[in-house]
Amino acid sequence: MVKPVIIVHGGAWGIPDRLVEANLNGVEESVKAGWIVLEAGGSALDAVVAAVNVLEDDPSFDAGIGSGLTEDRTIEMDSLIMDGAKLDAGAVAGLKDVRYPIRLARKVMEETPHVMMIGEGASRIADEFGLERITQEKLVTGEAVREFEEWSEKAVFGDSFGHDTVGAVALDSDGNIATATSTGGVTGKRVGRIGDVPLIGSGGYADNKVGGVSTTGHGESIMKVNLAKLVLTYMNMGMPVQEASEKALGYMKVRVNGQGGLIALDPDGNIGHAFTTKRMVWASIKDGKIETGIETS
Ligand code: ASP
């Protein structure tokens, strides 16, 4: 039997001081929700969904309720789930009215012959499986509006921006690794813009034989280097998980001048977390011991 481990993140970038406490509480609640599943012998897939659902409900993160706003002040959400046992994956993009995007990504993975669904077709699957719908009014929060207004003044995305993408990676007692990532994307994005999150190998990747990764940061950079898969490529070459995490982010910085962060696990339950933005918030539980951090570079 393998010892279960879970790590979650609540995104990278600036994380202003006003959000620090809420972010730390949020990742703590999230990692505990995932751990309850793992401790009871549940699957890594169930654990990452439970953990991400907590963060999708928490307005202090850019996923589900609290998602960042597009140029039209609307919300379009992306998410990805991956099962490292069979390399199965499910992704959804451009969702406007689904309360828990990660649950829908899982339905796409488990209940359809497809891997990625967008917009109206994705919402139809939500209806088919009775997943909760939600209005845009309920998804938009004061924090998202405040961030949008800051963005409108500067029209750049960067370290001053705060609340962010969420993700989880878990290893269960059967040795299965799963990853889940969910986001409202970057504030001020063009309508119809899809980020890295739903792209397999960019927003996340899981392979029982190598490890699991969930990423955050500048989507257009992450997708160009396939950041999640790049970490696993380095691990496959024999690099320890922490070193591989740092090296992949370093490559993204040097090659496309992109900033971001990520969490990672290897099949022995070793944890990696790294970032090149100003801050990143994360939490993990290993051997029943919880650790949380909101690190500043
Ligand atoms: N990676 C996300 C995106 O580009 C945003 C983030 O994690 O900050 O949509």
Side-chain angles (χ1 to χ4, degrees), residues 8-268:
V8 307
H9 71 79
W13 297 113
I15 314 181
D17 292 344
R18 65 174 184 271
L19 285 180
V20 164
E21 204 185 320
N23 270 206
L24 280 169
N25 289 339
V27 289
E28 192 173 326
E29 287 314 305
S30 162
V31 83
K32 283 182 184 162
W35 180 253
I36 288 169
V37 174
L38 295 173
E39 215 184 7
S43 70
L45 273 176
D46 286 342
V48 292
V49 170
V52 166
N53 281 168
V54 169
L55 299 168
E56 287 175 330
D57 260 349
D58 187 327
S60 68
F61 299 100
D62 172 12
I65 295 168
S67 284
L69 306 184
T70 68
E71 58 183 354
D72 284 359
R73 290 180 173 248
T74 53
I75 283 178
E76 296 181 356
M77 301 168 288
D78 304 334
S79 83
L80 168 72
I81 192 161
M82 191 156 179
D83 174 1
K86 294 176 284 182
L87 304 189
D88 276 346
V92 284
L95 300 181
K96 295 186 172 73
D97 58 3
V98 174
R99 176 152 184 189
Y100 299 105
I102 202 66
R103 292 190 191 172
L104 183 54
R106 187 171 183 178
K107 289 291 175 204
V108 171
M109 175 172 78
E110 291 179 339
E111 307 289 348
T112 80
H114 308 307
V115 169
M116 185 184 285
M117 300 287 302
I118 61 162
E120 175 50 31
S123 296
R124 249 190 246 174
I125 294 172
D127 280 347
E128 208 177 302
F129 292 96
L131 297 187
E132 198 177 328
R133 303 285 279 264
I134 188 168
T135 60
Q136 288 264 310
E137 289 69 41
K138 287 192 178 140
L139 287 169
V140 175
T141 60
E143 183 57 38
V145 170
R146 184 203 291 232
E147 229 172 81
F148 181 85
E149 278 160 6
E150 271 180 51
W151 171 83
S152 315
E153 275 167 32
K154 297 185 190 148
V156 287
F157 188 69
D159 262 357
S160 59
F161 290 90
H163 79 307
D164 206 17
T165 296
V166 306
V169 186
L171 169 69
D172 65 28
S173 52
D174 292 325
N176 290 317
I177 296 174
T179 184
T181 311
S182 187
T183 191
V186 292
T187 294
K189 68 185 181 180
R190 300 282 297 255
V191 167
R193 176 264 191 189
I194 307 290
D196 60 296
V197 167
L199 305 181
I200 299 167
S202 294
Y205 202 86
D207 181 346
N208 283 4
K209 293 186 190 306
V210 192
V213 180
S214 169
T215 69
T216 168
H218 185 239
E220 283 69 13
S221 301
I222 292 171
M223 59 175 96
K224 286 175 191 166
V225 300
N226 288 170
L227 184 62
K229 190 71 165 83
L230 185 58
V231 175
L232 296 182
T233 301
Y234 289 140
M235 288 166 70
N236 231 347
M237 288 161 59
M239 224 176 260
V241 59
Q242 182 61 32
E243 196 184 330
S245 302
E246 288 167 13
K247 192 171 166 71
L249 282 167
Y251 183 82
M252 185 167 89
K253 180 92 189 85
V254 169
R255 200 67 182 84
V256 294
N257 196 23
Q259 287 175 285
L262 62 91
I263 53 171
L265 276 184
D266 72 14
D268 295 325

